[in-house]
PDB file of all heavy atoms in Angstrom:
ATOM      1  N   PHE A   9      15.152  -5.654 -30.642  1.00  0.00           N
ATOM      2  CA  PHE A   9      14.513  -6.976 -30.666  1.00  0.00           C
ATOM      3  C   PHE A   9      15.004  -7.822 -29.450  1.00  0.00           C
ATOM      4  O   PHE A   9      16.126  -7.373 -28.840  1.00  0.00           O
ATOM      5  CB  PHE A   9      14.982  -7.836 -31.961  1.00  0.00           C
ATOM      6  CG  PHE A   9      16.384  -8.127 -32.044  1.00  0.00           C
ATOM      7  CD1 PHE A   9      16.916  -9.404 -31.671  1.00  0.00           C
ATOM      8  CD2 PHE A   9      17.294  -7.184 -32.568  1.00  0.00           C
ATOM      9  CE1 PHE A   9      18.270  -9.699 -31.694  1.00  0.00           C
ATOM     10  CE2 PHE A   9      18.627  -7.483 -32.589  1.00  0.00           C
ATOM     11  CZ  PHE A   9      19.179  -8.706 -32.164  1.00  0.00           C
ATOM     12  N   GLU A  22      10.548   1.951 -33.447  1.00  0.00           N
ATOM     13  CA  GLU A  22      10.728   3.272 -32.577  1.00  0.00           C
ATOM     14  C   GLU A  22       9.433   3.678 -32.010  1.00  0.00           C
ATOM     15  O   GLU A  22       9.534   4.535 -31.064  1.00  0.00           O
ATOM     16  CB  GLU A  22      11.447   4.258 -33.483  1.00  0.00           C
ATOM     17  CG  GLU A  22      12.188   5.304 -32.815  1.00  0.00           C
ATOM     18  CD  GLU A  22      13.425   4.709 -32.042  1.00  0.00           C
ATOM     19  OE1 GLU A  22      13.811   3.564 -32.212  1.00  0.00           O
ATOM     20  OE2 GLU A  22      14.008   5.549 -31.251  1.00  0.00           O
ATOM     21  N   ARG A  40      20.339  -8.464 -44.557  1.00  0.00           N
ATOM     22  CA  ARG A  40      19.587  -8.400 -45.797  1.00  0.00           C
ATOM     23  C   ARG A  40      19.242  -9.823 -46.373  1.00  0.00           C
ATOM     24  O   ARG A  40      19.460 -10.019 -47.605  1.00  0.00           O
ATOM     25  CB  ARG A  40      20.533  -7.644 -46.852  1.00  0.00           C
ATOM     26  CG  ARG A  40      21.088  -6.297 -46.361  1.00  0.00           C
ATOM     27  CD  ARG A  40      19.856  -5.348 -45.986  1.00  0.00           C
ATOM     28  NE  ARG A  40      20.252  -3.943 -45.770  1.00  0.00           N
ATOM     29  CZ  ARG A  40      20.740  -3.359 -44.779  1.00  0.00           C
ATOM     30  NH1 ARG A  40      21.004  -4.065 -43.670  1.00  0.00           N
ATOM     31  NH2 ARG A  40      21.048  -2.106 -44.792  1.00  0.00           N
ATOM     32  N   ASP A  68       7.356  11.472 -42.105  1.00  0.00           N
ATOM     33  CA  ASP A  68       6.587  12.508 -41.272  1.00  0.00           C
ATOM     34  C   ASP A  68       5.570  11.941 -40.458  1.00  0.00           C
ATOM     35  O   ASP A  68       5.287  12.203 -39.340  1.00  0.00           O
ATOM     36  CB  ASP A  68       6.022  13.638 -42.285  1.00  0.00           C
ATOM     37  CG  ASP A  68       7.105  14.554 -42.753  1.00  0.00           C
ATOM     38  OD1 ASP A  68       8.213  14.578 -42.195  1.00  0.00           O
ATOM     39  OD2 ASP A  68       6.834  15.302 -43.816  1.00  0.00           O
ATOM     40  N   ARG A  75       6.150  11.536 -31.772  1.00  0.00           N
ATOM     41  CA  ARG A  75       5.772  12.804 -30.958  1.00  0.00           C
ATOM     42  C   ARG A  75       4.608  12.466 -30.012  1.00  0.00           C
ATOM     43  O   ARG A  75       4.444  12.866 -28.916  1.00  0.00           O
ATOM     44  CB  ARG A  75       5.559  14.019 -31.915  1.00  0.00           C
ATOM     45  CG  ARG A  75       5.209  15.224 -31.166  1.00  0.00           C
ATOM     46  CD  ARG A  75       5.086  16.378 -32.076  1.00  0.00           C
ATOM     47  NE  ARG A  75       4.431  17.447 -31.459  1.00  0.00           N
ATOM     48  CZ  ARG A  75       4.247  18.644 -32.016  1.00  0.00           C
ATOM     49  NH1 ARG A  75       4.823  18.943 -33.212  1.00  0.00           N
ATOM     50  NH2 ARG A  75       3.573  19.535 -31.458  1.00  0.00           N
ATOM     51  N   MET A 131       1.787  27.820 -11.595  1.00  0.00           N
ATOM     52  CA  MET A 131       2.851  28.216 -12.526  1.00  0.00           C
ATOM     53  C   MET A 131       3.080  27.130 -13.605  1.00  0.00           C
ATOM     54  O   MET A 131       3.688  27.340 -14.537  1.00  0.00           O
ATOM     55  CB  MET A 131       4.188  28.294 -11.721  1.00  0.00           C
ATOM     56  CG  MET A 131       4.090  29.234 -10.544  1.00  0.00           C
ATOM     57  SD  MET A 131       3.815  30.916 -11.084  1.00  0.00           S
ATOM     58  CE  MET A 131       5.278  31.252 -11.916  1.00  0.00           C
ATOM     59  N   PHE A 167      -6.806  31.708 -14.117  1.00  0.00           N
ATOM     60  CA  PHE A 167      -5.852  30.938 -14.908  1.00  0.00           C
ATOM     61  C   PHE A 167      -6.633  29.979 -15.868  1.00  0.00           C
ATOM     62  O   PHE A 167      -6.058  29.521 -16.834  1.00  0.00           O
ATOM     63  CB  PHE A 167      -4.964  30.003 -13.924  1.00  0.00           C
ATOM     64  CG  PHE A 167      -3.950  30.818 -13.215  1.00  0.00           C
ATOM     65  CD1 PHE A 167      -4.267  31.206 -11.947  1.00  0.00           C
ATOM     66  CD2 PHE A 167      -2.819  31.153 -13.741  1.00  0.00           C
ATOM     67  CE1 PHE A 167      -3.316  31.969 -11.204  1.00  0.00           C
ATOM     68  CE2 PHE A 167      -1.816  31.900 -13.104  1.00  0.00           C
ATOM     69  CZ  PHE A 167      -2.158  32.320 -11.842  1.00  0.00           C
ATOM     70  N   ASN A 379      11.251  28.828 -11.207  1.00  0.00           N
ATOM     71  CA  ASN A 379      12.418  28.399 -12.028  1.00  0.00           C
ATOM     72  C   ASN A 379      13.564  27.874 -11.232  1.00  0.00           C
ATOM     73  O   ASN A 379      14.224  26.944 -11.659  1.00  0.00           O
ATOM     74  CB  ASN A 379      12.921  29.728 -12.772  1.00  0.00           C
ATOM     75  CG  ASN A 379      11.931  30.232 -13.775  1.00  0.00           C
ATOM     76  OD1 ASN A 379      11.012  29.481 -14.141  1.00  0.00           O
ATOM     77  ND2 ASN A 379      12.077  31.431 -14.193  1.00  0.00           N
ATOM     78  N   ASP A 404      19.223  -0.760 -25.446  1.00  0.00           N
ATOM     79  CA  ASP A 404      19.021  -1.804 -26.522  1.00  0.00           C
ATOM     80  C   ASP A 404      17.807  -2.600 -26.262  1.00  0.00           C
ATOM     81  O   ASP A 404      17.531  -3.613 -26.977  1.00  0.00           O
ATOM     82  CB  ASP A 404      20.210  -2.732 -26.583  1.00  0.00           C
ATOM     83  CG  ASP A 404      21.571  -2.066 -27.144  1.00  0.00           C
ATOM     84  OD1 ASP A 404      21.359  -1.527 -28.254  1.00  0.00           O
ATOM     85  OD2 ASP A 404      22.563  -2.052 -26.489  1.00  0.00           O
ATOM     86  N   TYR A 428      21.167  -0.423 -12.030  1.00  0.00           N
ATOM     87  CA  TYR A 428      22.011  -1.518 -12.580  1.00  0.00           C
ATOM     88  C   TYR A 428      20.988  -2.698 -13.038  1.00  0.00           C
ATOM     89  O   TYR A 428      20.416  -3.305 -12.167  1.00  0.00           O
ATOM     90  CB  TYR A 428      22.865  -2.012 -11.508  1.00  0.00           C
ATOM     91  CG  TYR A 428      23.691  -3.218 -11.876  1.00  0.00           C
ATOM     92  CD1 TYR A 428      24.612  -3.173 -12.938  1.00  0.00           C
ATOM     93  CD2 TYR A 428      23.650  -4.404 -11.084  1.00  0.00           C
ATOM     94  CE1 TYR A 428      25.259  -4.335 -13.196  1.00  0.00           C
ATOM     95  CE2 TYR A 428      24.343  -5.505 -11.328  1.00  0.00           C
ATOM     96  CZ  TYR A 428      25.207  -5.421 -12.402  1.00  0.00           C
ATOM     97  OH  TYR A 428      25.986  -6.582 -12.798  1.00  0.00           O
TER      98      TYR A 428
ATOM     99  N   LYS B  28      28.659  -4.902 -23.685  1.00  0.00           N
ATOM    100  CA  LYS B  28      27.226  -5.051 -23.508  1.00  0.00           C
ATOM    101  C   LYS B  28      26.917  -6.565 -23.093  1.00  0.00           C
ATOM    102  O   LYS B  28      25.949  -6.838 -22.286  1.00  0.00           O
ATOM    103  CB  LYS B  28      26.383  -4.687 -24.766  1.00  0.00           C
ATOM    104  CG  LYS B  28      26.422  -3.170 -25.013  1.00  0.00           C
ATOM    105  CD  LYS B  28      25.634  -2.798 -26.224  1.00  0.00           C
ATOM    106  CE  LYS B  28      25.624  -1.214 -26.276  1.00  0.00           C
ATOM    107  NZ  LYS B  28      24.887  -0.755 -27.496  1.00  0.00           N
ATOM    108  N   SER B  34      27.284  -9.555 -15.307  1.00  0.00           N
ATOM    109  CA  SER B  34      28.175  -9.015 -14.218  1.00  0.00           C
ATOM    110  C   SER B  34      27.414  -9.100 -12.798  1.00  0.00           C
ATOM    111  O   SER B  34      28.174  -8.768 -11.823  1.00  0.00           O
ATOM    112  CB  SER B  34      28.530  -7.636 -14.549  1.00  0.00           C
ATOM    113  OG  SER B  34      27.392  -6.770 -14.696  1.00  0.00           O
ATOM    114  N   ASP B  35      26.228  -9.498 -12.727  1.00  0.00           N
ATOM    115  CA  ASP B  35      25.619  -9.581 -11.369  1.00  0.00           C
ATOM    116  C   ASP B  35      26.132 -10.891 -10.763  1.00  0.00           C
ATOM    117  O   ASP B  35      26.019 -10.942  -9.579  1.00  0.00           O
ATOM    118  CB  ASP B  35      24.021  -9.491 -11.566  1.00  0.00           C
ATOM    119  CG  ASP B  35      23.530 -10.544 -12.422  1.00  0.00           C
ATOM    120  OD1 ASP B  35      24.208 -10.985 -13.399  1.00  0.00           O
ATOM    121  OD2 ASP B  35      22.461 -11.052 -12.217  1.00  0.00           O
ATOM    122  N   ARG B  81      22.342  -5.945 -33.170  1.00  0.00           N
ATOM    123  CA  ARG B  81      21.929  -4.636 -32.605  1.00  0.00           C
ATOM    124  C   ARG B  81      22.859  -3.547 -32.995  1.00  0.00           C
ATOM    125  O   ARG B  81      22.427  -2.443 -33.307  1.00  0.00           O
ATOM    126  CB  ARG B  81      21.740  -4.743 -31.074  1.00  0.00           C
ATOM    127  CG  ARG B  81      20.627  -5.534 -30.652  1.00  0.00           C
ATOM    128  CD  ARG B  81      20.429  -5.534 -29.111  1.00  0.00           C
ATOM    129  NE  ARG B  81      19.384  -6.540 -28.763  1.00  0.00           N
ATOM    130  CZ  ARG B  81      19.552  -7.631 -28.109  1.00  0.00           C
ATOM    131  NH1 ARG B  81      20.810  -7.891 -27.656  1.00  0.00           N
ATOM    132  NH2 ARG B  81      18.577  -8.424 -27.803  1.00  0.00           N
ATOM    133  N   GLU B  87      23.490   1.560 -38.695  1.00  0.00           N
ATOM    134  CA  GLU B  87      22.844   1.844 -39.969  1.00  0.00           C
ATOM    135  C   GLU B  87      21.684   2.755 -39.801  1.00  0.00           C
ATOM    136  O   GLU B  87      21.398   3.469 -40.799  1.00  0.00           O
ATOM    137  CB  GLU B  87      22.426   0.606 -40.624  1.00  0.00           C
ATOM    138  CG  GLU B  87      23.559  -0.266 -41.188  1.00  0.00           C
ATOM    139  CD  GLU B  87      23.153  -1.317 -42.143  1.00  0.00           C
ATOM    140  OE1 GLU B  87      22.102  -1.155 -42.675  1.00  0.00           O
ATOM    141  OE2 GLU B  87      23.866  -2.316 -42.173  1.00  0.00           O
ATOM    142  N   ARG B  92      17.347   7.858 -37.372  1.00  0.00           N
ATOM    143  CA  ARG B  92      16.768   8.061 -36.072  1.00  0.00           C
ATOM    144  C   ARG B  92      16.878   9.519 -35.679  1.00  0.00           C
ATOM    145  O   ARG B  92      15.885  10.043 -35.052  1.00  0.00           O
ATOM    146  CB  ARG B  92      17.406   7.179 -35.023  1.00  0.00           C
ATOM    147  CG  ARG B  92      16.833   7.232 -33.636  1.00  0.00           C
ATOM    148  CD  ARG B  92      17.302   6.082 -32.772  1.00  0.00           C
ATOM    149  NE  ARG B  92      16.535   6.006 -31.544  1.00  0.00           N
ATOM    150  CZ  ARG B  92      16.666   6.846 -30.505  1.00  0.00           C
ATOM    151  NH1 ARG B  92      17.669   7.741 -30.611  1.00  0.00           N
ATOM    152  NH2 ARG B  92      16.005   6.723 -29.406  1.00  0.00           N
ATOM    153  N   LYS B  98      12.496  15.744 -36.676  1.00  0.00           N
ATOM    154  CA  LYS B  98      11.064  16.018 -37.195  1.00  0.00           C
ATOM    155  C   LYS B  98       9.976  15.911 -36.181  1.00  0.00           C
ATOM    156  O   LYS B  98       9.121  16.668 -36.199  1.00  0.00           O
ATOM    157  CB  LYS B  98      10.763  14.945 -38.302  1.00  0.00           C
ATOM    158  CG  LYS B  98      11.467  15.313 -39.674  1.00  0.00           C
ATOM    159  CD  LYS B  98      11.099  14.234 -40.714  1.00  0.00           C
ATOM    160  CE  LYS B  98      11.472  14.681 -42.151  1.00  0.00           C
ATOM    161  NZ  LYS B  98      10.611  15.772 -42.633  1.00  0.00           N
ATOM    162  N   ALA B  99      10.191  15.030 -35.214  1.00  0.00           N
ATOM    163  CA  ALA B  99       9.085  14.809 -34.235  1.00  0.00           C
ATOM    164  C   ALA B  99       8.997  16.057 -33.290  1.00  0.00           C
ATOM    165  O   ALA B  99       7.970  16.453 -32.848  1.00  0.00           O
ATOM    166  CB  ALA B  99       9.385  13.587 -33.337  1.00  0.00           C
ATOM    167  N   THR B 103       7.699  21.717 -31.668  1.00  0.00           N
ATOM    168  CA  THR B 103       7.069  21.769 -30.380  1.00  0.00           C
ATOM    169  C   THR B 103       7.528  22.669 -29.308  1.00  0.00           C
ATOM    170  O   THR B 103       7.181  22.728 -28.257  1.00  0.00           O
ATOM    171  CB  THR B 103       7.144  20.368 -29.828  1.00  0.00           C
ATOM    172  OG1 THR B 103       8.526  20.040 -29.547  1.00  0.00           O
ATOM    173  CG2 THR B 103       6.536  19.276 -30.655  1.00  0.00           C
ATOM    174  N   LEU B 111       4.797  31.930 -18.012  1.00  0.00           N
ATOM    175  CA  LEU B 111       5.482  31.581 -16.821  1.00  0.00           C
ATOM    176  C   LEU B 111       6.088  32.748 -15.977  1.00  0.00           C
ATOM    177  O   LEU B 111       5.724  32.902 -14.844  1.00  0.00           O
ATOM    178  CB  LEU B 111       6.676  30.688 -17.236  1.00  0.00           C
ATOM    179  CG  LEU B 111       6.376  29.188 -17.244  1.00  0.00           C
ATOM    180  CD1 LEU B 111       7.617  28.485 -17.598  1.00  0.00           C
ATOM    181  CD2 LEU B 111       5.894  28.737 -15.951  1.00  0.00           C
ATOM    182  N   PHE B 112       7.042  33.418 -16.614  1.00  0.00           N
ATOM    183  CA  PHE B 112       7.921  34.267 -15.792  1.00  0.00           C
ATOM    184  C   PHE B 112       7.245  35.474 -15.118  1.00  0.00           C
ATOM    185  O   PHE B 112       7.446  35.737 -13.895  1.00  0.00           O
ATOM    186  CB  PHE B 112       9.107  34.680 -16.662  1.00  0.00           C
ATOM    187  CG  PHE B 112       9.857  33.514 -17.140  1.00  0.00           C
ATOM    188  CD1 PHE B 112       9.766  33.020 -18.389  1.00  0.00           C
ATOM    189  CD2 PHE B 112      10.540  32.742 -16.171  1.00  0.00           C
ATOM    190  CE1 PHE B 112      10.540  31.942 -18.834  1.00  0.00           C
ATOM    191  CE2 PHE B 112      11.279  31.612 -16.573  1.00  0.00           C
ATOM    192  CZ  PHE B 112      11.213  31.229 -17.887  1.00  0.00           C
TER     193      PHE B 112
END
Side-chain angles (χ1 to χ4, degrees):
Chain A
F9 69 95
E22 204 65 12
R40 307 301 196 276
D68 286 342
R75 181 173 160 173
M131 306 298 293
F167 292 99
N379 292 343
D404 287 310
Y428 176 59
Chain B
K28 288 180 177 182
S34 61
D35 57 329
R81 291 183 183 110
E87 287 191 28
R92 188 167 187 278
K98 280 181 169 287
T103 63
L111 268 182
F112 300 105

